[in-house]
Each structure stands twice: as C-alpha cells, then as structure tokens.
C-alpha cells in the first residue's frame, strides 16, 4: 500500500492534463490509491455488475430471437419461390442467379431474368427491360432523371408477362 501511495503522484505527473482531469482516469487512480474497500462496497458493486450483465443478456436474447425469426421468414420465401430446395435447403438455379445479382430485391431480378418471356428477348429489348426493372431504385433518389424513349412492344409484352410474378413475390415478401 505504501508503494502505491508514493507511485501514484509520479504517474499523475506523467499523464497529460486532459487525461488527468477525465472521469475514468480519475476514478481509476482513486481506486488505486485506496485499495482497501469495505466488503459491503465490493458486494454492492458486484450486485450492480450482475444486474447490468443480466439486462445485457436479456437484450441480446431479444435481438437474437428477432434476427432468427427474420432469417426463417427469408428462408421460407426463398423456398416458396423456388430459390431453395424445400427438403435440404440446397440452392436451386433461381437461387444461383439471385446470389450473383446486386440490387434492392435480388430475388425479383433473378426471377425476371429466369422467366421464359425474358429468356427470348434480343439484347436491346433485354437491356431496356432490365433498365426498367432497376430504374425505380435510382429514379426515387434522382428526380432529374427521365427516359427519353418509349419502351418497345417486345419490352411491354415481357413486362406484362412479369406482372403476375411480381404480384406473387410481393405477396410473399409483405406477409
């Protein structure tokens, strides 16, 4: 105890003034200079730490539970839509395509690309359709963007064919 009492002022002189005035450093230094706390103080501190740990455990369990439920709902959607196999959850062709795409709704984009009406499109109409599918993502954040050309009859026909697919997926994702 004697050694701590003589070392403490030396440590305080070596620390920058901003650190010496900080609450955490001050508390730590005070505890170091007064190591003999009563057993009652130590018990109160231990109880306080135990209560805090319990609250933190409960909060973590709630977060994990909510995350797991969300994950299960996503798996159910992928199974119902055919991206995952229902028996062993292996990735099916639609899931493979969805895995490679980046967008606000990869499953929707993958389902569109795999749809027979889109499979037969030539490159230019396919590009127009894809631009239309992803335009809603960028149009909302950029109000000055507009489309200068109307869609071709091929693109309109393919988009019409995709409408039922969109409704089915939206119903699954909103439920």
């Amino acid at each position: 105890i004697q050694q701590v009492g003589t070392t403490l002022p030396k440590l305080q002189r070596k620390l920058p003034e901003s650190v010496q005035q900080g609450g955490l450093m001050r508390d730590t230094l005070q505890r170091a200079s007064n190591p003999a706390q009563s057993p009652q103080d130590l018990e109160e501190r231990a109880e306080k730490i135990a209560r805090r740990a319990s609250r933190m455990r409960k909060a973590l369990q709630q977060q994990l539970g909510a995350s797991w439920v969300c994950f299960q709902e996503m798996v159910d959607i992928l199974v119902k839509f055919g991206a995952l196999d229902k028996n062993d959850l292996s990735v099916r062709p639609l899931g493979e395509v969805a895995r490679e795409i980046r967008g606000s709704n990869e499953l929707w984009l993958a389902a569109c690309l795999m749809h027979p009406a889109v499979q037969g499109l030539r490159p230019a109409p396919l590009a127009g359709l894809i631009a239309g599918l992803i335009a809603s993502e960028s149009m909302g954040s950029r109000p000055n963007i507009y489309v200068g050309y109307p869609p071709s009859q091929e693109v309109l026909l393919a988009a019409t064919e995709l409408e039922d697919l969109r409704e089915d997926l939206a119903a699954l994702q909103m439920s």
Side-chain angles (χ1 to χ4, degrees):
I1 295 175
Q2 191 70 357
Q3 191 176 18
V4 171
T6 58
T7 308
L8 186 60
K10 291 177 188 174
L11 287 173
Q12 285 177 325
R13 281 193 299 263
K14 290 181 181 178
L15 294 172
E17 191 172 317
S18 61
V19 173
Q20 289 178 30
Q21 293 173 358
L24 178 62
M25 184 56 71
R26 183 180 59 247
D27 293 346
T28 304
L29 292 173
Q30 285 174 353
R31 274 193 223 107
S33 65
N34 185 13
Q37 292 181 336
S38 74
Q40 185 180 4
D41 290 344
L42 293 175
E43 284 178 23
E44 287 175 10
R45 182 157 168 76
E47 287 173 11
K48 182 178 176 183
I49 291 171
R51 284 191 305 270
R52 183 171 181 221
S54 177
R55 283 193 311 269
M56 292 172 78
R57 267 190 224 97
K58 286 178 186 174
L60 179 62
Q61 289 300 325
Q62 288 174 346
Q63 288 176 347
L64 289 175
S67 296
W68 181 252
V69 168
C70 182
F71 174 77
Q72 284 294 107
E73 289 171 353
M74 287 184 192
V75 168
D76 289 344
I77 290 170
L78 292 171
V79 167
K80 287 176 184 172
F81 219 68
L84 294 176
D85 185 85
K86 68 179 177 180
N87 297 321
D88 63 358
L89 298 181
S90 60
V91 180
R92 299 184 71 204
L94 177 63
E96 300 247 357
V97 173
R99 179 175 59 193
E100 298 299 326
I101 295 176
R102 298 295 172 259
S104 65
N105 191 336
E106 289 89 358
L107 184 57
W108 162 241
L109 294 173
C112 290
L113 290 174
M114 300 287 289
H115 194 277
V118 176
Q119 292 287 317
L121 289 177
R122 294 174 292 117
L126 177 62
L129 179 69
I130 292 172
L133 292 173
I134 62 174
S136 62
E137 295 175 19
S138 60
M139 292 297 240
S141 62
R142 299 178 185 166
N144 296 336
I145 294 178
Y146 68 95
V147 178
Y149 301 99
S152 69
Q153 210 48 31
E154 258 183 297
V155 171
L156 287 174
L157 186 61
T160 303
E161 295 266 339
L162 294 173
E163 188 59 29
D164 290 339
L165 182 70
R166 185 194 65 76
E167 289 175 2
D168 292 344
L169 183 58
L172 278 176
Q173 290 178 332
M174 295 299 164
S175 63

